[in-house]
Amino acid sequence: MSTTGAAADPLAALGELPGVDESVESVRKSVDRVYGHRVMRRRSNAITSEAALRGARGSAALSGADWALEEVRRRTDFSGDDEARVVGAALRLTAEAGQLLSIWRQSPLRVLARLHLVAAAAKGDEVGRPRQEGEPVDEPLIELRTPGAAEVSGRLEGLAELIIAGGSAPALVTAAVVHGELLALRPFTSHNGLVARAAERIVLVGSGLDPKSVCPAEVGHAELGRASYLAALDGYVSGTPEGMAAWIAHCGRSIELGARESTAVCEALQRGAA
């Protein structure tokens, strides 16, 4: 994770990068449009449920299981093959994330461990803890240098300190950094992408930007495509101001697209078509 200068609040410093203010404002307007929709006043629970399903589908698609929404909706067994297990993990994480909001600000590393445990749904020694030196990482869609265990541990501790300390950074900036850092580190032996996107969701909800979880960034990440996602991640990993700003802008655009998706759901419910 790169920071600009020796600011007391490094995440706030990232918010001062060129173009980030515009992304923050654009995201806020998109979120406000969803929350201002008349359907949200009567059926917000239905919008939240639909956003959760669509967000899980989007996150699974980025991890290699690009299923149609109706297939995700109708299936009940997700144990059959690798893709089914990815979709099942994404659905479990979406459900679990909402239960961890109160813990996140006090113990983010505990939350991350819990997310991995839920995603993996296994009992191996490597589940629910950061990987140790020499343990492989099963994340074939991300072709970046794999940091060693010592680097992972140090950077996770640093990330946790920033989250616990709080600060004045916009929710978009904090969510983008959490997401990008977890993808860059791949701290677990598996399911890192799914965990990173679930953690982004926790930040957006817990910050108050999207308290009802109706603006699924995962939808936007998937809509923009895996190539765009990985290119933006390269910018984050570069640590340059331009690269960091590009990653934050990418995350902002993803939230906007998630908000647009839920606005469309609101419109469909209003017409009685869904």
Side-chain angles (χ1 to χ4, degrees):
M1 176 176 51
S2 172
T3 59
T4 54
D9 184 353
L11 293 183
L14 293 178
E16 298 170 3
L17 292 173
V20 171
D21 276 346
E22 290 84 349
S23 293
V24 169
E25 181 61 22
S26 184
V27 166
R28 170 53 67 188
K29 288 179 179 177
S30 295
V31 173
D32 285 348
R33 278 195 290 273
V34 179
Y35 279 84
H37 199 285
R38 60 187 299 179
V39 170
M40 279 293 293
R41 293 194 292 272
R42 306 191 310 271
R43 302 189 63 180
S44 64
N45 288 342
I47 306 303
T48 295
S49 295
E50 189 64 21
L53 184 71
R54 294 174 186 232
R57 193 218 73 84
S59 189
L62 287 167
S63 286
D66 192 359
W67 287 15
L69 179 63
E70 291 311 312
E71 177 67 9
V72 178
R73 196 189 303 279
R74 79 168 185 83
R75 285 284 286 268
T76 56
D77 181 7
F78 297 95
S79 62
D81 55 35
D82 287 346
E83 285 196 5
R85 285 189 285 273
V86 168
V87 175
L91 289 167
R92 291 192 301 273
L93 283 173
T94 299
E96 185 72 13
Q99 311 302 314
L100 299 172
L101 293 171
S102 62
I103 306 172
W104 175 254
R105 284 295 296 273
Q106 287 74 42
S107 185
L109 297 185
R110 179 181 164 196
V111 169
L112 293 175
R114 175 62 185 171
L115 290 174
H116 185 246
L117 185 68
V118 168
K123 298 181 180 180
D125 178 62
E126 77 282 0
V127 174
R129 61 154 175 80
R131 54 187 169 82
Q132 298 174 357
E133 203 62 53
E135 289 183 327
V137 178
D138 181 14
E139 204 72 38
L141 301 178
I142 299 178
E143 298 178 355
L144 296 172
R145 179 186 72 86
T146 303
E151 181 181 350
V152 167
S153 178
R155 287 173 62 174
L156 280 179
E157 288 291 343
L159 182 64
E161 289 172 5
L162 288 175
I163 294 165
I164 292 168
S168 59
L172 167 61
V173 172
T174 303
V177 168
V178 168
H179 186 172
E181 192 72 355
L182 292 174
L183 287 179
L185 292 176
R186 280 146 292 146
F188 302 106
T189 58
S190 64
H191 300 89
N192 289 287
L194 294 175
V195 168
R197 292 183 288 275
E200 179 186 46
R201 165 68 19 216
I202 288 172
V203 173
L204 294 172
V205 174
S207 68
L209 175 65
D210 181 19
K212 293 183 183 294
S213 195
V214 296
C215 302
E218 305 93 330
V219 166
H221 288 303
E223 183 173 336
L224 291 171
R226 190 179 302 148
S228 178
Y229 185 66
L230 296 177
L233 176 61
D234 284 343
Y236 178 86
V237 173
S238 77
T240 65
E242 297 80 9
M244 297 292 287
W247 170 250
I248 293 168
H250 181 89
C251 291
R253 180 61 179 149
S254 297
I255 298 167
E256 291 175 42
L257 290 171
R260 186 182 71 178
E261 183 95 349
S262 286
T263 299
V265 173
C266 287
E267 294 292 334
L269 286 173
Q270 186 168 279
R271 295 191 303 268

